[in-house]
Amino acid sequence: MTGTNQYVKDVATRGYQYGFVTDVETDVAPRGLHEETVRFISAKKKETDWMLEWRLKAYRYFVSLLKKDQLPRWANVKYPPIDFQDIIYYAAPRPRKQLSSLQEVDPEILRTYEKLGIPLEEQKRLAGVAVDAVFDSVSVATTYKEELAKRGIIFCSMSEAIQQHPDLVQRYLGSVVPYTDNFYAALNSAVFSDGSFCYVPQGVRCPYELTTYFRINTEGSGQFERTLIVAEAGSYVSYLEGCSAPMFDTNQLHAAVVELVAMENAEIKYSTIQNWYPGDEQGKGGIYNFVTKRGKCLGKNSKISWTQVETGAAITWKYPSVILQGDNSVGEFYSVALTKGYQQADTGSKMTHMGRNTRSRIIAKTISAGHGSGTYRGLVRVMPTASNARNFTQCDSLLLGDQCGAHTTPYVEVRNNTAHLEHEAFTSRVSEEQLFYCNQRGLSPEAAQALIINGFCKEVFKQLPFEFAVEATRLLEANLEGVVG
Amino acid sequence: MLEIRNLHASVGEVEILKGIDLQVKPGEVHAIMGPNGSGKSTLAYVLAGKPGYVVTAGEVTFLGKDLLPMKPEDRARAGLFLSFQHPLEIPGVRLDQFLRAGINGIRKSRGLEELDVLKFDRHLVKKVQLLEMDQGLVRRSVNEGFSGGERKRNEVLQMAVLEPTLAILDEPDSGLDIDAVQEAAKGINQQRGPENATILITHYQRILNYVVPDVVHVLINGRIVRSGGKELALEVEAQGYEELQEAEATLRSSG
Ligand SMILES: Nc1ncnc2c1ncn2[C@@H]1O[C@H](COP(=O)(O)OP(=O)(O)OP(=O)(O)O)[C@@H](O)[C@H]1O
Ligand SMILES: [Mg+2]
């Protein structure tokens, strides 16, 4: 620990030259990105040397990209240039002000919770109201943690994992998404603040849907999240990310990285419901959601399945992908992406077939309303080694109104002629005829539209665990309230 | 319960209904026959309030209320049901969910308690059994992949479930096999009662053997050219519309 303290001092003194606030007790890194910022974050988190080194390598790589102006510009999204020196890269999660009752919570937030049908106790927890003994989320979390520990499952924050399980982290961090992968992955690797870590030992089926809800110690983790899930041979885990509650967050850039590793016969199911602040009606503000998510089916017969429901963020740029390395491995991607107002989403999946008899399936549903713009971008790549690879891709778009847009950009790269690829795509509108048919049966236009949209999303929603599917349905309805096609 | 006076309606620029007069009393069954393109479906759509169908003249009262300003869902909630000639698909939406949303929309508007899944299922199962339909059908998406005949029978099932006061059935027998026509007729008859009425649009006399009409109307070129008892249907089937068409032409030139 002396070494670390030395770092802190180094950072503190050297940082001064750059206008750093020398007080090591401070919880906020000064604005801007420098090597010192990276050292500061690493020191704050009392990280080991290799971790700092790794961050620094990532930082240097990021700077080289930035110098060469190698920002990703291929996505079908428009936004003003981001000033990377005008961002605060680290702010320690501040304990939230405890409120004593729901009366003190912003009524607008409460109305949204209600719309989403979040139970009262859960509303209190989300809004930061002290919860009573009957529903103590801390003890709930503890009970779950003990149950998981009994089975040898590690489920903790990334910071904790770096401290407690350095060998595991060192072995797998960056093994699926190296810091050289892309611009935002490099940035994330340099400055990630926290995230989740999960390790499921050989042959263990995780008995719960793991959600960040049970992992209270990482609440308030920053905009640069890093998540790593490793499923050993024959294990199974289902992980739910995100909270259906709206985030009244004004942070601009959210650049997360998620890595999944599945060994022989292992299965990982990763579900996301994303409802970040999308910006106001004029398109001002909102989150830039630039995320790199990738899984590696390392072992034979392994399976990785991504399900996402993306309704928030001003700009979404993410392509949950699977590298199908093990023979007979399976990769799946199920997505619903909604854009309304001035939201833009460029999302899809990348399936890389390497092993024999590997199979992948992509079901992407894009809903656009208002001035929203939704793009499906996908790549199915079959390597020479991947004999008998199969892919099925279906990307459907639903347009509400005539100011929005939907685009489909599927790429295919096949280097083995035994591959079998199928692609289906169609664009539809909620037709006046369908609405009339529903109205004639007694449904209001709003209910009719919600029903038709739910029907459109059904294949994706049914992949979600039940409670999540219910939330996803409500979330879509709440988001489309007042939007009639 | 339904009074139509001098109803004129257009689709786009074209006038399709050219002065319809029709009175339907509780308990009655009215059959409407007429050649293709004569305006039968248009009449049904206008009564149900389909967007794009513009009433240019005339009045319609339903249960004492002015029907024409009402929104389609309000007409449905007031007890008007339309069985579509060409029922639509709603991909991904299960028939039972669709109908539960419908029935609850109707019940809510009447201040009745909404039916939960269990109560609704019981109601639905009863109707499915009554019509001797396949139980599996209600768990499938609305009309998705249904055969032509299945779609038609599904419309009758929907009517049975929603229990309307006035059922307007647009060719519920077209495309049905002989047995299915009888089943459909049974469903329609079951819905009849002293308080309820039916308007049955058809090309075939056959269904009228089972659902015996009080009045038969012949609609040609947007006008009702003749009304009569159930014998009129037999006459039409035997002779076709030629003579009646001539009568319509005389009517037009004189008036
Ligand atoms: N959207 C439209 N635009 C123009 N003409 C239309 C439109 N809809 C219907 N029509 C015309 O209105 C006329 C009446 O059509 P309608 O569907 O009411 O006939 P129908 O009596 O139900 O015929 P069928 O026995 O074939 O079902 C037809 O000539 C049809 O082409
Ligand atoms: Mg017709």
Side-chain angles (χ1 to χ4, degrees):
Chain A
M1 278 297 130
T2 22
T4 319
N5 282 336
Q6 194 52 46
Y7 266 136
V8 177
K9 271 187 203 137
D10 284 358
V11 169
T13 41
R14 252 181 310 133
Y16 212 37
Q17 306 164 233
Y18 295 91
F20 269 45
V21 180
T22 41
D23 181 7
V24 255
E25 296 309 316
T26 188
D27 278 337
V28 180
R31 206 170 281 275
L33 184 58
H34 312 275
E35 191 168 316
E36 280 63 31
T37 324
V38 178
R39 289 183 186 277
F40 177 88
I41 294 170
S42 189
K44 264 289 170 199
K45 301 189 139 322
K46 303 191 176 66
E47 290 174 354
T48 49
D49 290 357
W50 78 263
M51 194 67 247
L52 174 66
E53 278 313 313
W54 194 77
R55 282 179 183 275
L56 287 173
K57 272 189 261 175
Y59 165 75
R60 287 176 200 126
Y61 183 70
F62 175 76
V63 170
S64 75
L65 292 179
L66 197 60
K67 273 204 188 114
K68 286 181 272 176
D69 196 32
Q70 284 181 348
L71 276 82
R73 292 213 173 79
W74 40 265
N76 184 25
V77 293
K78 291 189 192 75
Y79 55 95
I82 300 168
D83 182 355
F84 290 96
Q85 296 303 352
D86 193 33
I87 292 173
I88 293 174
Y89 285 88
Y90 179 84
R94 234 167 296 197
R96 263 194 271 184
K97 190 175 141 233
Q98 282 278 314
L99 307 174
S100 56
S101 81
L102 274 178
Q103 258 94 49
E104 293 172 41
V105 180
D106 181 351
E108 180 64 28
I109 296 180
L110 287 185
R111 256 195 304 278
T112 316
Y113 285 169
E114 233 149 70
K115 260 191 247 159
L116 295 172
I118 296 172
L120 201 66
E121 291 305 326
E122 171 75 0
Q123 287 185 26
K124 286 187 186 169
R125 193 190 67 79
L126 292 169
V129 174
V131 277
D132 54 39
V134 188
F135 187 86
D136 183 351
S137 59
V138 178
S139 65
V140 170
T142 316
T143 322
Y144 275 83
K145 236 176 168 172
E146 277 167 11
E147 280 297 312
L148 294 177
K150 242 190 264 170
R151 292 169 166 82
I153 298 169
I154 303 169
F155 183 43
C156 61
S157 74
M158 187 54 92
S159 311
E160 202 178 319
I162 291 168
Q163 302 287 333
Q164 309 289 325
H165 312 281
D167 44 332
L168 284 174
V169 175
Q170 197 167 354
R171 190 170 336 149
Y172 294 109
L173 191 75
S175 71
V176 186
V177 181
Y179 62 80
T180 48
D181 190 79
N182 69 71
F183 186 82
Y184 291 106
L187 177 64
N188 173 283
S189 302
V191 300
F192 73 85
S193 37
D194 214 331
S196 307
F197 175 79
C198 176
Y199 177 84
V200 191
Q202 190 168 343
V204 173
R205 260 192 90 84
C206 182
Y208 310 114
E209 312 277 354
L210 296 183
T211 74
T212 40
Y213 168 73
F214 294 123
R215 213 203 54 219
I216 46 126
N217 56 343
T218 60
E219 221 181 299
S221 61
Q223 21 181 355
F224 300 98
E225 287 167 61
R226 187 91 197 186
T227 294
L228 172 62
I229 298 176
V230 179
E232 289 287 8
S235 69
Y236 167 83
V237 63
S238 165
Y239 180 88
L240 311 183
E241 170 195 51
C243 167
S244 62
M247 303 280 198
F248 291 84
D249 202 331
T250 50
N251 285 339
Q252 285 301 299
L253 181 63
H254 176 256
V257 172
V258 177
E259 298 177 279
L260 312 180
V261 183
M263 303 301 182
E264 200 170 314
N265 294 310
E267 180 177 348
I268 303 176
K269 217 171 133 58
Y270 193 105
S271 315
T272 306
I273 291 191
Q274 184 267 106
N275 191 30
W276 298 106
Y277 182 53
D280 66 13
E281 287 88 59
Q282 276 74 49
K284 250 183 70 187
I287 299 280
Y288 294 169
N289 190 33
F290 299 159
V291 176
T292 306
K293 288 185 165 172
R294 193 175 305 151
K296 201 184 246 181
C297 283
L298 207 54
K300 267 188 232 159
N301 310 316
S302 55
K303 178 175 174 184
I304 289 178
S305 176
W306 299 100
T307 305
Q308 61 173 24
V309 177
E310 305 277 327
T311 63
I315 299 176
T316 295
W317 181 96
K318 78 183 252 207
Y319 314 89
S321 306
V322 184
I323 298 169
L324 298 149
Q325 191 168 323
D327 290 348
N328 313 318
S329 58
V330 177
E332 292 176 337
F333 173 72
Y334 297 94
S335 167
V336 167
L338 166 75
T339 54
K340 64 171 200 302
Y342 284 85
Q343 281 177 279
Q344 310 173 61
D346 192 304
T347 182
S349 184
K350 210 158 75 179
M351 296 289 177
T352 306
H353 293 257
M354 295 167 73
R356 283 172 297 169
N357 308 314
T358 46
R359 279 170 296 151
S360 62
R361 186 178 171 82
I362 295 173
I363 308 285
K365 305 274 180 178
T366 307
I367 304 167
S368 310
H371 293 87
S373 155
T375 298
Y376 167 80
R377 185 184 305 277
L379 170 62
V380 178
R381 181 189 280 155
V382 179
M383 307 303 267
T385 48
S387 45
N388 298 315
R390 281 172 165 276
N391 165 266
F392 176 76
T393 298
Q394 183 181 330
C395 32
D396 301 333
S397 318
L398 187 69
L399 302 174
L400 306 172
D402 48 16
Q403 308 249 277
C404 51
H407 317 273
T408 310
T409 321
Y411 298 99
V412 168
E413 212 184 289
V414 179
R415 289 195 267 159
N416 183 310
N417 57 16
T418 59
H420 185 86
L421 274 60
E422 271 177 87
H423 183 88
E424 284 176 15
F426 75 88
T427 300
S428 56
R429 290 178 186 276
V430 174
S431 76
E432 200 168 65
E433 296 256 349
Q434 279 178 327
L435 283 176
F436 173 63
Y437 191 52
C438 294
N439 296 156
Q440 213 304 305
R441 298 304 184 245
L443 280 89
S444 66
E446 296 76 34
Q449 179 169 288
L451 202 72
I452 292 168
I453 289 171
N454 263 317
F456 177 75
C457 301
K458 187 179 187 170
E459 267 179 283
V460 175
F461 284 178
K462 75 177 185 208
Q463 298 299 324
L464 292 167
F466 180 72
E467 292 85 349
F468 243 43
V470 172
E471 286 194 9
T473 306
R474 288 205 185 105
L475 189 63
L476 266 194
E477 278 170 25
N479 268 294
L480 284 170
E481 206 171 76
V483 180
V484 177
Chain B
M1 77 161 57
L2 182 75
E3 275 182 67
I4 305 175
R5 277 183 301 270
N6 190 34
L7 182 67
H8 289 252
S10 311
V11 186
E13 298 292 291
V14 196
E15 177 165 73
I16 312 278
L17 301 183
K18 300 166 182 173
I20 303 267
D21 290 278
L22 184 67
Q23 274 208 23
V24 181
K25 294 198 192 71
E28 289 182 342
V29 175
H30 289 239
I32 297 180
M33 301 179 83
N36 294 135
S38 57
K40 304 180 297 295
S41 295
T42 304
L43 175 62
Y45 281 150
V46 168
L47 294 175
K50 185 171 179 180
Y53 287 71
V54 185
V55 175
T56 49
E59 285 161 43
V60 182
T61 53
F62 175 53
L63 298 169
K65 272 192 279 185
D66 186 358
L67 185 73
L68 297 177
M70 289 164 78
K71 287 187 276 185
E73 61 272 26
D74 293 330
R75 299 182 194 204
R77 290 165 184 178
L80 186 149
F81 177 89
L82 171 61
S83 164
F84 285 61
Q85 184 179 354
H86 303 291
L88 278 86
E89 287 183 11
I90 310 182
V93 177
R94 258 169 59 165
L95 181 59
D96 53 357
Q97 290 169 345
F98 175 68
L99 283 175
R100 193 163 80 89
I103 207 170
N104 281 335
I106 293 169
R107 290 179 68 93
K108 214 166 128 188
S109 75
R110 295 177 185 170
L112 296 169
E113 182 202 357
E114 293 186 35
L115 296 181
D116 61 29
V117 176
L118 277 177
K119 282 202 186 109
F120 175 73
D121 261 359
R122 236 174 284 145
H123 176 68
L124 181 61
V125 164
K126 246 193 299 189
K127 300 295 184 181
V128 171
Q129 282 170 346
L130 188 85
L131 293 174
E132 297 183 35
M133 285 171 67
D134 175 12
Q135 294 281 0
L137 214 64
V138 301
R139 308 219 189 296
R140 283 169 58 182
S141 297
V142 181
N143 292 324
E144 209 179 14
F146 284 28
S147 75
E150 280 170 343
R151 285 184 189 213
K152 284 304 178 65
R153 295 191 61 190
N154 179 22
E155 293 291 293
V156 175
L157 172 68
Q158 295 188 33
M159 176 197 69
V161 170
L162 299 177
E163 302 179 330
T165 316
L166 173 64
I168 303 167
L169 310 167
D170 194 352
E171 301 194 21
D173 53 338
S174 295
L176 293 193
D177 66 49
I178 298 167
D179 295 338
V181 170
Q182 281 196 47
E183 295 299 340
K186 214 163 100 186
I188 297 165
N189 282 330
Q190 165 273 328
Q191 186 49 32
R192 293 172 64 177
E195 303 300 320
N196 299 337
T198 308
I199 295 176
L200 175 52
I201 298 170
T202 183
H203 285 295
Y204 310 104
Q205 196 280 137
R206 172 184 293 277
I207 192 167
L208 302 179
N209 289 334
Y210 309 110
V211 185
V212 183
D214 298 286
V215 193
V216 176
H217 306 276
V218 177
L219 183 70
I220 295 180
N221 195 17
R223 288 186 184 89
I224 291 177
V225 296
R226 219 174 124 188
S227 303
K230 60 174 192 279
E231 339 63 67
L232 181 56
L234 285 166
E235 196 188 316
V236 164
E237 194 155 83
Q239 301 176 4
Y241 293 111
E242 211 169 310
E243 253 173 66
L244 293 161
Q245 237 145 3
E246 279 161 30
E248 191 270 337
T250 349
L251 200 85
R252 197 168 6 149
S253 56
S254 66

